[in-house]
Amino acid sequence: MQSRGDQSTAHRIAADLEIAILKREFENGVRLDENELSARFGVSRTPVREALGRLALTGLVVQMPRRGTFVRQPGPAELLEMFEVMAELEASCGRLAARRADASQVEAIRKADTACGNALAAGDPNAYYAENETFHQAIYDASGNRFLVGKALRLQRRLMFFRQMQLHLRGRPEESRTEHAAIFVAIESGDGDRAAMLLRAHVAVQGERFHSLVVHLNRNEW
């Protein structure tokens, strides 16, 4: 039976590996060697095995008997499906936020949008990405639905690399900021249906936008 210390170590290792995989430090199909990971984290193989088991439950890795644990990155078709679901989750958050947000929550969304504008003016796409995520999370919080927020945050985290890469596409940060302004007005005015429509279009990657993302990913070794 594992001690609480072992479980805490396994949780920390799983969290660190999750970020590394989401940032694509490990490419699709790479085998995660338990001995190498033990050396990397300075621990025995026991918490490493537990951490890999936790990651398998998230779908980030696949464990194959007698072969090992392998990183699983989404392909183009699955990526599109994930963005479709993300768009619907955010649409729901926006609709509820427009109906339920109090003054402080509306102000939090406004401040996040202003921070996005500052990052855009500074020409810093990485800073814009960070503020962009804060903007969306402020909308999640304003929805007042904890279950929905949990689902949205989990998928937002799963798509973090791809959402960030989108913002490196030419002209996308400027488009994103313009869309934010319209989303904020809809939420502030209490127009749930419009907020949902705008967020759905804002998050979905279809047509030319998706094609551009796939091309960009291919150039960076999908």
Side-chain angles (χ1 to χ4, degrees):
M1 182 175 180
Q2 280 191 321
S3 68
R4 290 185 178 179
D6 287 338
Q7 292 176 358
S8 177
T9 300
H11 179 78
R12 174 178 57 81
I13 293 171
D16 288 349
L17 284 175
E18 179 184 22
I19 293 297
I21 293 171
L22 292 175
K23 289 184 175 179
R24 297 178 73 85
E25 292 179 23
F26 298 100
E27 292 300 322
N28 186 49
V30 167
R31 182 176 180 274
L32 297 176
D33 185 88
E34 290 183 5
N35 291 323
E36 292 179 0
L37 293 176
S38 294
R40 172 173 174 160
F41 293 104
V43 299
S44 69
R45 292 173 61 184
T46 299
V48 169
R49 288 197 193 101
E50 173 67 19
L52 293 178
R54 295 185 183 203
L55 288 178
L57 295 176
T58 71
L60 287 173
V61 301
V62 175
Q63 292 183 311
M64 305 179 70
R66 295 181 296 280
R67 291 188 59 191
T69 303
F70 299 84
V71 173
R72 181 182 177 277
Q73 297 285 6
E78 184 179 3
L79 183 61
L80 178 58
E81 292 174 348
M82 291 166 72
F83 267 104
E84 287 177 343
V85 173
M86 187 80 253
E88 294 303 321
L89 289 175
E90 296 233 6
S92 295
C93 286
R95 179 181 290 107
L96 292 175
R99 296 173 180 173
R100 299 175 176 177
D102 59 28
S104 65
Q105 290 170 327
V106 171
E107 178 63 12
I109 297 169
R110 186 195 65 76
K111 285 184 177 180
D113 182 41
T114 298
C116 285
N118 293 337
L120 183 61
D124 188 340
N126 291 326
Y128 184 88
Y129 166 76
E131 301 299 348
N132 176 67
E133 297 300 89
T134 300
F135 174 81
H136 285 271
Q137 289 170 13
I139 294 174
Y140 304 166
D141 291 341
S143 74
N145 186 313
R146 291 185 180 181
F147 181 81
L148 179 59
V149 170
K151 295 294 184 182
L153 286 172
R154 179 175 296 180
L155 191 50
Q156 183 192 54
R157 187 180 182 90
R158 186 70 176 87
L159 289 170
M160 63 184 294
F161 172 81
F162 306 102
R163 289 172 71 126
Q164 185 171 22
M165 183 162 281
Q166 266 201 99
L167 295 173
H168 285 269
L169 299 176
R170 183 178 299 174
R172 181 55 193 153
E174 291 79 8
E175 290 177 354
S176 174
R177 179 72 204 294
T178 299
E179 292 164 6
H180 282 186
I183 291 166
F184 173 72
V185 169
I187 292 174
E188 184 182 36
S189 64
D191 191 338
D193 289 340
R194 180 165 176 76
M197 178 192 70
L198 291 171
L199 272 160
R200 184 180 295 110
H202 176 67
V203 175
V205 284
Q206 299 174 346
E208 183 59 30
R209 190 191 299 178
F210 185 69
H211 174 73
S212 297
L213 177 61
V214 171
V215 168
H216 197 58
L217 284 165
N218 285 335
R219 289 174 181 169
N220 287 272
E221 299 182 354
W222 179 278

